[in-house]
């Protein structure tokens, strides 16, 4: 008789108000007070805010000027992405050492596939103890949910924040989802929610019982998926997190060169190219590598850890510094390369903690032009030099 497959156990960990929590670790006077992270002037956007601030209607991506009107007593913090990167890596290392399969969904969000571990440890107790370990070793508050799939675990985690924990047992998925508003489901944005409400559907129970033909008429094939998800069905796997994934580019020259200005312009062009690819994939990089191969085929490679980013100007500063440390002006260069690794999937496409929003708007505008007319349609002047 064939053995039945193990029931899935998927845990979702979310660091509560992560950026604010890190700032509070650095400055205990911020504990219990309304805090806005994102800039010390009114020109930026809210990158994060404390739960004490959210009750006034403040939320991420809101202009700080508007946030200050809603909550004038909030304390503004410019933000320290280097610290956030450090704590994100610390939490990652703690979890990765203890679970069989880890997916790092963003800088402060993790999925774990614990399937099969219930036979040996008991997934409920294991997940509870893992949370306690993370809190003890980092000082960061965390919420989590244990369920049969990623969708349920994510929704459940959001329902018990802050500093909460819950287990949605197998077979209870629909019962758990039923009373929740449709906006609680990931993937249902404001516009989609308006369309669904116009159909007289306001809860996930009502969505789970919706007429498939009408849903297909309104949303196409995606309508069936909405019904499936409202019934708690999600087969998506936990994708193992690996810092080996990278984006890179190399250029072998037709003739070896000593022209340092040309080499530097090539580095600019190459960095712009892969940083654009990084943003297109909605990822950040936490490590930069520069490779130089000389005419005698000797190769010099240097890399350094950086704060997670996808901004050209930030990465380019590191690339130039690594090149300066690696380059031997007495040897002709055959090849140069740039690689971005330690990639992290996330919503933060650039450093949101800059006081200026101009850089963000500039990148958005350039990327739109590149998407329409090609990668080479917008380039820095310093990347146009030729041999």
């Amino acid at each position: 008789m064939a053995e039945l497959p193990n029931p899935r156990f998927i845990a979702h960990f979310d660091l509560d108000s992560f950026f604010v929590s890190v700032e509070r670790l650095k400055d205990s006077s911020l504990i219990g007070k309304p805090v806005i992270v994102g800039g010390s002037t009114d020109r930026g956007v809210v990158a994060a805010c404390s739960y004490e601030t959210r009750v006034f209607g403040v939320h991420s991506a809101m202009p700080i000027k508007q946030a200050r009107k809603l909550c004038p007593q909030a304390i503004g913090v410019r933000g320290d992405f280097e610290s956030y990167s450090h704590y994100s890596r610390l939490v990652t290392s703690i979890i990765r050492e203890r679970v069989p399969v880890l997916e790092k969904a963003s800088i402060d969000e993790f999925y774990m596939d614990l399937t099969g571990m219930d036979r040996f440890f008991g997934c409920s107790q294991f997940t509870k103890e893992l949370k306690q370990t993370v809190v003890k070793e980092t000082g960061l508050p965390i919420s989590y949910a244990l369920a049969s799939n990623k969708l349920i675990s994510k929704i459940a985690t959001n329902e018990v924040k802050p500093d909460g924990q819950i287990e949605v047992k197998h077979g209870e998925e629909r019962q758990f989802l039923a009373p929740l508003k449709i906006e609680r489901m990931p993937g249902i944005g404001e516009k989609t929610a308006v369309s669904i409400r116009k159909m007289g559907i306001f809860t996930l129970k009502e969505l789970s019982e919706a007429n498939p033909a009408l849903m297909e008429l309104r949303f196409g094939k995606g309508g069936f998926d909405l019904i499936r998800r409202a019934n708690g069905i999600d087969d998506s796997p936990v994708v193992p997190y690996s810092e080996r994934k990278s984006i890179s580019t190399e250029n072998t020259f037709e003739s070896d060169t000593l022209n340092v200005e040309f080499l530097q312009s090539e580095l600019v062009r190459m960095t712009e190219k892969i940083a654009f690819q990084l943003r297109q994939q909605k990822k950040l990089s936490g490590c930069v590598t520069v490779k130089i191969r000389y005419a005698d085929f000797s190769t010099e490679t240097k890399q350094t850890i950086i704060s997670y980013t996808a901004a050209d100007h930030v990465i380019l500063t590191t690339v130039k510094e690594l090149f300066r440390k690696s380059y031997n002006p007495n040897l002709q260069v055959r090849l140069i390369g740039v690689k971005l690794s330690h990639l992290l999937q996330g919503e933060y496409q650039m450093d949101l903690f800059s006081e200026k929003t101009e850089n963000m708007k500039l990148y958005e505008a350039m990327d739109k032009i590149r998407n329409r007319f090609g990668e080479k349609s917008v380039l820095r002047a310093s990347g146009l030099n030729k041999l």
Side-chain angles (χ1 to χ4, degrees):
M1 183 176 180
E3 186 177 352
L4 293 175
N6 290 326
R8 293 183 79 198
F9 283 92
I10 308 298
H12 177 259
F13 275 32
D14 198 332
L15 297 167
D16 293 329
S17 195
F18 175 56
F19 304 120
V20 174
S21 298
V22 172
E23 294 298 336
R24 285 174 169 173
L25 286 177
K26 295 161 53 182
D27 183 357
S28 60
S29 67
L30 298 176
I31 295 175
K33 297 180 180 178
V35 177
I36 293 175
V37 180
S40 56
T41 73
D42 290 344
R43 299 179 64 190
V45 296
V46 176
C49 56
S50 63
Y51 289 100
E52 294 87 351
T53 314
R54 297 179 194 182
V55 297
F56 292 90
V58 178
H59 58 78
S60 298
M62 173 183 287
I64 289 179
K65 188 174 183 179
Q66 180 182 351
R68 291 189 185 283
K69 289 181 179 179
L70 294 172
C71 186
Q73 68 271 39
I75 301 172
V77 181
R78 189 176 187 277
D80 180 358
F81 211 79
E82 184 174 347
S83 293
Y84 309 145
S85 298
H86 165 75
Y87 277 99
S88 177
R89 290 188 176 102
L90 178 58
V91 174
T92 302
S93 65
I94 293 170
I95 298 177
R96 187 164 53 181
E97 289 176 357
R98 292 166 172 81
V99 303
V101 183
L102 169 67
E103 176 181 337
K104 188 170 183 177
S106 71
I107 195 170
D108 58 353
E109 184 181 9
F110 308 83
Y111 289 99
M112 290 147 275
D113 191 339
L114 308 180
T115 302
M117 293 182 66
D118 54 307
R119 293 186 176 185
F120 307 100
F121 303 102
C123 292
S124 299
Q125 184 63 27
F126 175 84
T127 312
K128 180 179 179 180
E129 292 177 355
L130 181 57
K131 171 184 174 175
Q132 293 171 346
T133 300
V134 173
V135 172
K136 180 180 179 180
E137 296 191 18
T138 68
L140 296 170
I142 195 168
S143 296
Y144 79 81
L146 182 65
S148 60
N149 60 54
K150 293 172 70 175
L151 174 68
I152 300 296
S153 63
K154 182 175 178 63
I155 296 175
T157 301
N158 291 334
E159 291 301 307
V160 297
K161 288 182 177 180
D163 194 29
Q165 56 194 57
I166 186 175
E167 179 178 359
V168 180
K169 296 186 180 299
H170 291 72
E172 298 181 1
E173 293 86 358
R174 292 188 64 188
Q175 179 183 344
F176 168 76
L177 293 176
L180 302 181
K181 294 181 179 180
I182 56 174
E183 294 87 350
R184 295 294 192 179
M185 180 183 290
I188 296 182
E190 184 177 344
K191 292 183 179 180
T192 303
V194 170
S195 297
I196 295 175
R197 286 196 296 268
K198 287 181 178 179
M199 299 175 67
I201 298 172
F202 299 91
T203 67
L204 292 181
K205 180 179 187 299
E206 293 168 341
L207 181 57
S208 71
E209 298 170 347
N211 185 311
L214 290 178
M215 290 295 293
E216 182 183 19
L217 184 64
R218 180 66 65 91
F219 302 103
K221 293 182 179 179
F224 290 110
D225 187 54
L226 287 172
I227 294 175
R228 289 181 76 253
R229 290 163 66 84
N231 278 282
I233 301 171
D234 175 31
D235 301 323
S236 59
V238 174
V239 181
Y241 171 70
S242 173
E243 292 191 336
R244 295 180 181 176
K245 295 179 180 178
S246 63
I247 298 176
S248 63
T249 183
E250 294 183 350
N251 189 7
T252 301
F253 307 127
E254 292 183 4
S255 58
D256 303 335
T257 180
L258 288 170
N259 188 334
V260 67
E261 291 184 0
F262 166 74
L263 294 173
Q264 290 174 339
S265 71
E266 278 296 288
L267 289 173
V268 172
R269 182 189 63 77
M270 296 164 78
T271 302
E272 283 188 314
K273 175 182 177 181
I274 58 177
F276 171 66
Q277 294 174 4
L278 199 65
R279 293 193 296 275
Q280 292 298 100
Q281 297 177 28
K282 294 185 178 180
K283 291 182 179 180
L284 305 171
S285 172
C287 182
V288 177
T289 304
V290 171
K291 179 168 74 172
I292 305 174
R293 179 166 295 155
Y294 296 101
D296 62 0
F297 283 87
S298 62
T299 303
E300 183 75 24
T301 303
K302 286 192 180 298
Q303 71 175 32
T304 188
I305 299 296
I306 62 170
S307 299
Y308 287 113
T309 187
D312 296 10
H313 67 283
V314 177
I315 298 172
L316 190 55
T317 298
T318 303
V319 167
K320 289 180 177 179
E321 179 62 18
L322 291 174
F323 175 76
R324 185 188 65 80
K325 292 180 178 178
S326 307
Y327 179 58
N328 184 340
N330 298 316
L331 296 177
Q332 289 191 322
V333 175
R334 173 183 176 84
L335 170 152
I336 57 173
V338 179
K339 180 173 73 173
L340 305 179
S341 57
H342 294 198
L343 303 188
L344 174 65
Q345 194 76 33
E347 296 299 321
Y348 306 97
Q349 297 186 27
M350 58 197 68
D351 185 359
L352 295 179
F353 305 98
S354 171
E355 291 186 4
K356 298 180 180 180
T357 58
E358 285 82 355
N359 284 338
M360 294 172 57
K361 293 178 180 178
L362 177 61
Y363 280 119
E364 289 174 358
M366 290 193 302
D367 288 349
K368 285 181 180 178
I369 294 173
R370 287 167 175 157
N371 282 325
R372 184 174 181 181
F373 299 105
E375 292 183 6
K376 298 181 180 180
S377 57
V378 180
L379 298 171
R380 282 176 168 80
S382 57
L384 296 177
N385 292 324
K386 298 295 181 181
L387 271 172

